[in-house]
Amino acid sequence: SHEEIEELRAVFDLAFASEHGFKCVVGPDNFDRVLPVLNRSQIVAGTLGGEIYLAKDEEGKIIGGIIWYGPGREQYDSEDQRKQALAPLMASLPDDVKAWFAGSVALMEEFKRKTFGDMTKTEWYLQRVGVHPDWQGKGVGTALIERGRQNTNGHAIALQAVEPANIGYYEHIGFKNKGHIDVQAPHGDFTVTGLLWQP
């Protein structure tokens, strides 16, 4: 529902309030304005082409969520995702960032193919997982990932991470570091690491 999309978006806004990679892309002056648009975009795309699992507290309030794409699917891979999710995001971006995105898509797709090989067609992809700061470190994110693992029917799970603490966390719960790429963005540089979990 629209209400759940906005409730999860608000949780993601808090969970990713210091996201280094996206800040390097859009710049510190645009970050607070564009982060909610990015989060809404990813959630809407997930409702259209992926799966979203929610974690709620005892009162039914959303405290975390995860966006998955099954084998053969990707974020923004369909016309409805591009129209309803990607277009509003692109409209919110400054021109230099739009140009950077246009030039970086092929580079990031090549990194994904190089990192995960043929598995890009067969694995599940964890697009985004976020937990309200008040609930972080209490097993909520791990429970969301575990729920996804149970639904993969023996398929691998791939993801990309930027924050070093997140990379260490994913390695701790069984993901293997498959390589990284250094990215030069309009407002700074960051490193993207590819991680893979295999049953």
Side-chain angles (χ1 to χ4, degrees), residues 101-174:
F101 266 117
S104 68
V105 169
L107 178 72
M108 294 310 294
E109 284 301 313
E110 178 57 28
F111 169 68
K112 190 175 176 184
R113 279 190 295 279
K114 180 179 161 195
T115 305
F116 304 122
D118 290 339
M119 298 183 85
T120 57
K121 294 180 179 60
T122 61
E123 93 277 356
W124 280 78
Y125 191 79
L126 192 167
Q127 183 67 44
R128 198 155 182 84
V129 59
V131 175
H132 190 289
D134 291 347
W135 288 87
Q136 291 176 5
K138 298 179 180 178
V140 175
T142 302
L144 286 165
I145 292 169
E146 187 55 37
R147 182 173 170 201
R149 280 183 180 169
Q150 293 171 3
N151 292 334
T152 63
N153 297 320
H155 291 276
I157 300 170
L159 64 88
Q160 295 174 347
V162 173
E163 305 296 335
N166 292 346
I167 295 164
Y169 163 75
Y170 289 121
E171 289 175 333
H172 176 74
I173 62 170

Side-chain angles (χ1 to χ4, degrees), residues 11 44 46 56 58 127 148 165 172 175 193:
V11 169
V44 169
K56 297 183 179 183
E58 310 80 39
Q127 183 67 44
H172 176 74
F175 284 78
T193 301

